[in-house]
Coordinates of all heavy atoms in Angstrom, one line a residue:
Chain A
I23 N -5.4 24.6 -10.4 CA -4.6 23.5 -10.8 C -4.8 22.3 -9.9 O -4.9 21.1 -10.3 CB -3.1 23.9 -10.8 CG1 -2.8 24.9 -12.0 CG2 -2.1 22.7 -10.9 CD1 -1.6 25.7 -11.9
F24 N -4.8 22.6 -8.6 CA -5.0 21.6 -7.6 C -6.3 20.8 -7.8 O -6.3 19.6 -7.9 CB -5.0 22.3 -6.2 CG -5.5 21.4 -5.1 CD1 -4.7 20.2 -4.8 CD2 -6.5 21.7 -4.3 CE1 -5.1 19.4 -3.7 CE2 -6.9 21.0 -3.2 CZ -6.2 19.8 -2.9
I25 N -7.4 21.5 -8.0 CA -8.7 20.8 -8.2 C -8.7 20.0 -9.5 O -9.1 18.8 -9.4 CB -9.9 21.9 -8.3 CG1 -9.9 22.7 -7.0 CG2 -11.2 21.2 -8.5 CD1 -10.4 22.1 -5.8
L26 N -8.2 20.6 -10.5 CA -8.2 19.8 -11.8 C -7.3 18.5 -11.7 O -7.6 17.5 -12.2 CB -7.7 20.7 -12.9 CG -8.7 21.8 -13.3 CD1 -8.2 22.7 -14.5 CD2 -10.1 21.3 -13.7
A27 N -6.2 18.7 -11.0 CA -5.3 17.6 -10.8 C -5.9 16.4 -10.1 O -5.8 15.2 -10.3 CB -4.0 18.0 -10.1
I28 N -6.8 16.8 -9.1 CA -7.4 15.7 -8.3 C -8.4 14.9 -9.3 O -8.5 13.7 -9.2 CB -8.2 16.4 -7.1 CG1 -7.3 16.8 -6.1 CG2 -9.2 15.3 -6.6 CD1 -8.0 17.4 -4.9
F29 N -9.1 15.7 -10.1 CA -10.0 15.0 -11.0 C -9.3 14.1 -12.0 O -9.6 13.0 -12.2 CB -10.9 16.0 -11.8 CG -12.0 16.5 -11.1 CD1 -12.1 17.7 -10.4 CD2 -13.1 15.7 -11.0 CE1 -13.1 18.1 -9.7 CE2 -14.3 16.1 -10.2 CZ -14.3 17.3 -9.6
V30 N -8.2 14.6 -12.6 CA -7.3 13.8 -13.4 C -6.8 12.6 -12.7 O -7.0 11.4 -13.2 CB -6.2 14.6 -14.0 CG1 -5.2 13.7 -14.8 CG2 -6.7 15.7 -14.9
G31 N -6.3 12.8 -11.5 CA -5.8 11.7 -10.7 C -6.8 10.6 -10.5 O -6.6 9.4 -10.7
N32 N -8.0 11.0 -10.1 CA -9.1 10.1 -9.8 C -9.4 9.3 -11.1 O -9.6 8.1 -11.0 CB -10.3 10.9 -9.4 CG -11.2 10.1 -8.6 OD1 -10.8 9.2 -7.9 ND2 -12.5 10.4 -8.6
E33 N -9.5 9.9 -12.2 CA -9.8 9.3 -13.5 C -8.8 8.2 -13.8 O -9.1 7.1 -14.1 CB -9.9 10.3 -14.6 CG -11.2 11.0 -14.8 CD -12.4 10.0 -14.9 OE1 -12.4 9.1 -15.7 OE2 -13.3 10.1 -14.0
V34 N -7.5 8.7 -13.8 CA -6.4 7.8 -14.3 C -6.2 6.6 -13.4 O -6.1 5.5 -13.8 CB -5.1 8.6 -14.4 CG1 -4.0 7.7 -14.7 CG2 -5.3 9.7 -15.5
I35 N -6.3 6.9 -12.0 CA -5.9 5.8 -11.1 C -7.0 4.8 -11.0 O -6.7 3.6 -10.7 CB -5.4 6.5 -9.8 CG1 -4.1 7.0 -10.0 CG2 -5.4 5.4 -8.7 CD1 -3.7 8.3 -9.3
S36 N -8.3 5.2 -11.1 CA -9.3 4.2 -11.0 C -9.2 3.2 -12.1 O -9.9 2.2 -12.0 CB -10.7 4.8 -10.9 OG -10.9 5.9 -11.8
K37 N -8.4 3.5 -13.1 CA -8.3 2.5 -14.2 C -7.2 1.5 -14.0 O -6.9 0.6 -14.9 CB -8.2 3.2 -15.6 CG -9.4 4.0 -16.0 CD -9.5 4.3 -17.4 CE -10.8 4.9 -17.8 NZ -10.9 6.3 -17.2
V38 N -6.4 1.7 -12.9 CA -5.3 0.8 -12.7 C -5.9 -0.5 -12.1 O -6.6 -0.5 -11.1 CB -4.3 1.4 -11.7 CG1 -3.2 0.4 -11.4 CG2 -3.7 2.7 -12.3
P39 N -5.6 -1.7 -12.7 CA -6.2 -2.9 -12.2 C -5.6 -3.4 -10.9 O -4.5 -3.0 -10.6 CB -5.8 -4.0 -13.3 CG -4.6 -3.4 -13.9 CD -4.7 -1.9 -13.8
P40 N -6.4 -4.1 -10.1 CA -5.9 -4.6 -8.8 C -4.5 -5.3 -8.8 O -3.7 -5.1 -7.9 CB -6.9 -5.6 -8.3 CG -8.2 -5.1 -9.0 CD -7.7 -4.6 -10.3
T41 N -4.2 -6.0 -9.9 CA -3.0 -6.7 -10.1 C -1.8 -5.7 -9.9 O -0.7 -6.1 -9.5 CB -2.9 -7.3 -11.5 OG1 -3.9 -8.3 -11.6 CG2 -1.6 -7.9 -11.8
L42 N -2.0 -4.5 -10.3 CA -0.9 -3.5 -10.3 C -0.9 -2.5 -9.2 O -0.3 -1.4 -9.2 CB -0.8 -2.8 -11.7 CG -0.4 -3.7 -12.9 CD1 -0.5 -2.8 -14.2 CD2 0.9 -4.3 -12.7
H43 N -1.7 -2.8 -8.1 CA -1.9 -1.9 -7.1 C -0.6 -1.6 -6.3 O -0.3 -0.6 -5.8 CB -3.0 -2.2 -6.2 CG -4.3 -1.7 -6.7 ND1 -5.6 -2.2 -6.3 CD2 -4.6 -0.9 -7.7 CE1 -6.5 -1.6 -7.0 NE2 -6.0 -0.8 -7.9
T44 N 0.2 -2.7 -6.1 CA 1.5 -2.5 -5.3 C 2.4 -1.7 -6.2 O 3.0 -0.7 -5.6 CB 2.1 -3.9 -5.0 OG1 1.2 -4.5 -4.1 CG2 3.4 -3.7 -4.2
P45 N 2.7 -2.0 -7.4 CA 3.6 -1.0 -8.2 C 2.9 0.4 -8.2 O 3.8 1.4 -8.2 CB 3.6 -1.6 -9.6 CG 3.2 -3.1 -9.4 CD 2.3 -3.1 -8.2
L46 N 1.6 0.5 -8.2 CA 1.0 1.9 -8.2 C 1.5 2.6 -6.9 O 1.8 3.8 -7.0 CB -0.5 1.7 -8.3 CG -1.2 3.1 -8.0 CD1 -1.0 4.1 -9.1 CD2 -2.7 2.8 -7.9
M47 N 1.4 1.9 -5.8 CA 1.8 2.5 -4.6 C 3.3 2.9 -4.5 O 3.7 4.0 -4.1 CB 1.5 1.6 -3.4 CG 0.1 1.7 -3.0 SD -0.2 0.8 -1.5 CE -0.2 2.1 -0.3
S48 N 4.2 2.0 -5.0 CA 5.6 2.3 -4.9 C 5.9 3.4 -6.0 O 6.8 4.2 -5.8 CB 6.4 1.1 -5.2 OG 6.2 0.5 -6.4
G49 N 5.2 3.4 -7.1 CA 5.4 4.4 -8.1 C 4.9 5.7 -7.6 O 5.5 6.8 -7.9
S50 N 3.8 5.8 -6.8 CA 3.3 7.1 -6.4 C 4.3 7.5 -5.2 O 4.4 8.7 -5.0 CB 1.9 7.1 -6.0 OG 1.6 6.1 -5.0
N51 N 4.9 6.6 -4.5 CA 6.0 7.0 -3.6 C 7.0 7.8 -4.3 O 7.5 8.9 -3.8 CB 6.7 5.7 -3.0 CG 6.1 5.2 -1.8 OD1 6.2 4.0 -1.5 ND2 5.4 6.0 -1.0
A52 N 7.4 7.3 -5.5 CA 8.5 8.0 -6.3 C 8.0 9.4 -6.7 O 8.7 10.3 -6.6 CB 8.8 7.1 -7.5
I53 N 6.7 9.4 -7.1 CA 6.2 10.7 -7.6 C 6.1 11.7 -6.5 O 6.4 12.9 -6.6 CB 4.8 10.5 -8.3 CG1 5.0 9.8 -9.6 CG2 4.2 11.9 -8.7 CD1 3.8 9.4 -10.4
S54 N 5.8 11.2 -5.2 CA 5.7 12.2 -4.2 C 7.1 12.7 -3.8 O 7.2 13.6 -3.0 CB 4.9 11.6 -3.0 OG 5.7 10.6 -2.3
G55 N 8.1 12.0 -4.3 CA 9.5 12.5 -4.2 C 9.7 13.9 -4.9 O 10.8 14.4 -4.9
I56 N 8.6 14.4 -5.6 CA 8.7 15.7 -6.2 C 9.1 16.8 -5.3 O 9.6 17.8 -5.7 CB 7.4 16.0 -6.9 CG1 7.4 17.3 -7.8 CG2 6.3 16.2 -5.9 CD1 8.2 17.1 -9.1
A57 N 8.9 16.5 -4.0 CA 9.4 17.4 -2.9 C 10.8 17.8 -3.1 O 11.3 18.8 -2.6 CB 9.1 16.9 -1.5
V58 N 11.5 16.9 -3.9 CA 12.9 17.2 -4.2 C 13.1 18.6 -4.8 O 14.1 19.3 -4.5 CB 13.5 16.1 -5.1 CG1 13.0 16.2 -6.5 CG2 15.0 16.1 -5.1
V59 N 12.1 19.0 -5.6 CA 12.2 20.3 -6.2 C 12.2 21.4 -5.1 O 13.0 22.3 -5.2 CB 11.0 20.5 -7.2 CG1 10.8 21.9 -7.6 CG2 11.2 19.6 -8.4
G60 N 11.2 21.3 -4.2 CA 11.2 22.2 -3.1 C 12.5 22.2 -2.3 O 13.0 23.2 -1.8
A61 N 13.1 21.0 -2.1 CA 14.3 20.9 -1.3 C 15.5 21.6 -2.0 O 16.2 22.4 -1.3 CB 14.6 19.4 -1.1
I62 N 15.6 21.5 -3.3 CA 16.6 22.2 -4.0 C 16.5 23.7 -3.8 O 17.4 24.4 -3.5 CB 16.6 21.8 -5.6 CG1 16.9 20.4 -5.8 CG2 17.6 22.7 -6.3 CD1 16.7 19.9 -7.2
L63 N 15.2 24.2 -4.0 CA 15.0 25.6 -3.8 C 15.3 26.1 -2.4 O 15.8 27.2 -2.1 CB 13.6 26.0 -4.2 CG 13.2 25.7 -5.6 CD1 11.7 25.9 -5.9 CD2 14.0 26.7 -6.6
A64 N 15.1 25.2 -1.4 CA 15.4 25.5 0.0 C 16.8 25.6 0.3 O 17.3 26.4 1.1 CB 14.7 24.5 0.9
I65 N 17.7 24.8 -0.4 CA 19.1 24.8 -0.2 C 19.7 26.1 -0.8 O 20.6 26.6 -0.2 CB 19.8 23.5 -0.8 CG1 19.3 22.3 -0.1 CG2 21.2 23.7 -0.9 CD1 19.9 21.0 -0.6
Q66 N 19.0 26.6 -1.8 CA 19.5 27.8 -2.4 C 19.4 29.0 -1.4 O 20.3 29.9 -1.5 CB 18.6 28.1 -3.6 CG 18.8 29.4 -4.3 CD 17.7 29.7 -5.3 OE1 16.6 29.1 -5.1 NE2 17.9 30.4 -6.3
T67 N 18.4 29.0 -0.6 CA 18.2 30.2 0.3 C 19.4 30.2 1.4 O 20.0 29.2 1.7 CB 16.9 30.1 1.1 OG1 16.9 28.8 1.7 CG2 15.7 30.2 0.1
E68 N 19.7 31.4 1.8 CA 20.7 31.6 2.8 C 20.1 31.5 4.2 O 18.9 31.6 4.4 CB 21.4 32.9 2.6 CG 22.4 32.9 1.4 CD 22.6 34.2 0.8 OE1 22.4 35.3 1.4 OE2 22.9 34.3 -0.5
G69 N 21.0 31.3 5.1 CA 20.6 31.1 6.5 C 20.8 29.6 6.8 O 20.1 28.8 6.2
T70 N 21.7 29.3 7.7 CA 22.1 28.0 7.9 C 21.1 26.9 8.2 O 21.1 25.9 7.6 CB 23.2 27.9 9.0 OG1 23.0 29.0 9.9 CG2 24.6 28.0 8.4
L71 N 20.2 27.2 9.2 CA 19.3 26.2 9.6 C 18.3 25.8 8.5 O 18.2 24.6 8.2 CB 18.5 26.7 10.8 CG 17.5 25.6 11.4 CD1 18.2 24.4 11.8 CD2 16.7 26.2 12.6
G72 N 17.9 26.8 7.7 CA 17.0 26.5 6.6 C 17.7 25.7 5.5 O 17.2 24.8 5.0
T73 N 19.0 26.0 5.3 CA 19.7 25.2 4.3 C 19.9 23.8 4.7 O 19.7 22.8 3.9 CB 21.2 25.8 4.2 OG1 21.0 27.2 3.8 CG2 21.9 25.2 3.1
Y74 N 20.2 23.5 6.0 CA 20.4 22.2 6.5 C 19.1 21.4 6.5 O 19.0 20.2 6.2 CB 21.2 22.1 7.8 CG 22.6 22.4 7.5 CD1 23.2 23.6 8.0 CD2 23.4 21.6 6.7 CE1 24.5 23.9 7.7 CE2 24.7 22.0 6.5 CZ 25.2 23.1 7.0 OH 26.5 23.5 6.7
L75 N 18.0 22.0 6.8 CA 16.7 21.4 6.7 C 16.4 21.0 5.3 O 15.9 19.9 4.9 CB 15.6 22.3 7.3 CG 15.5 22.6 8.8 CD1 14.4 23.6 9.1 CD2 15.4 21.2 9.5
G76 N 16.8 21.9 4.4 CA 16.6 21.7 2.9 C 17.4 20.4 2.5 O 16.9 19.6 1.7
L77 N 18.7 20.3 3.1 CA 19.5 19.2 2.7 C 18.9 17.9 3.2 O 18.8 16.9 2.5 CB 20.9 19.4 3.4 CG 21.9 18.2 3.1 CD1 22.2 18.0 1.7 CD2 23.1 18.4 3.9
A78 N 18.3 17.9 4.4 CA 17.6 16.7 5.0 C 16.5 16.4 4.0 O 16.3 15.2 3.7 CB 17.2 17.0 6.4
A79 N 15.7 17.4 3.6 CA 14.6 17.2 2.8 C 15.0 16.6 1.4 O 14.4 15.7 0.9 CB 13.8 18.5 2.5
L80 N 16.2 17.1 0.9 CA 16.7 16.6 -0.4 C 17.0 15.1 -0.3 O 16.7 14.3 -1.1 CB 17.9 17.4 -0.7 CG 18.6 17.0 -2.1 CD1 17.6 17.5 -3.3 CD2 19.9 17.7 -2.3
I81 N 17.7 14.7 0.9 CA 18.0 13.3 1.0 C 16.8 12.5 1.1 O 16.7 11.5 0.4 CB 18.9 13.2 2.3 CG1 20.3 13.9 2.2 CG2 19.1 11.7 2.6 CD1 21.1 13.9 3.4
F82 N 15.8 12.9 1.9 CA 14.6 12.1 2.0 C 13.9 11.9 0.7 O 13.5 10.8 0.2 CB 13.6 12.8 3.0 CG 13.8 12.5 4.4 CD1 14.9 11.7 4.8 CD2 13.0 13.0 5.4 CE1 15.1 11.4 6.2 CE2 13.1 12.7 6.8 CZ 14.2 11.9 7.1
A83 N 13.8 13.0 0.0 CA 13.0 13.0 -1.3 C 13.8 12.2 -2.3 O 13.2 11.5 -3.1 CB 12.8 14.4 -1.8

Side-chain angles (χ1 to χ4, degrees):
Chain A
I23 290 165
F24 170 58
I25 302 285
L26 292 179
I28 289 179
F29 277 102
V30 172
N32 205 30
E33 276 307 304
V34 174
I35 285 143
S36 44
K37 294 203 174 65
V38 178
T41 294
L42 294 178
H43 277 166
T44 296
L46 169 65
M47 278 187 101
S48 61
S50 57
N51 271 155
I53 293 177
S54 72
I56 187 72
V58 74
V59 165
I62 293 172
L63 296 171
I65 291 181
Q66 172 192 26
T67 53
E68 282 152 27
T70 26
L71 185 55
T73 305
Y74 287 111
L75 289 177
L77 177 64
L80 183 72
I81 294 174
F82 276 5

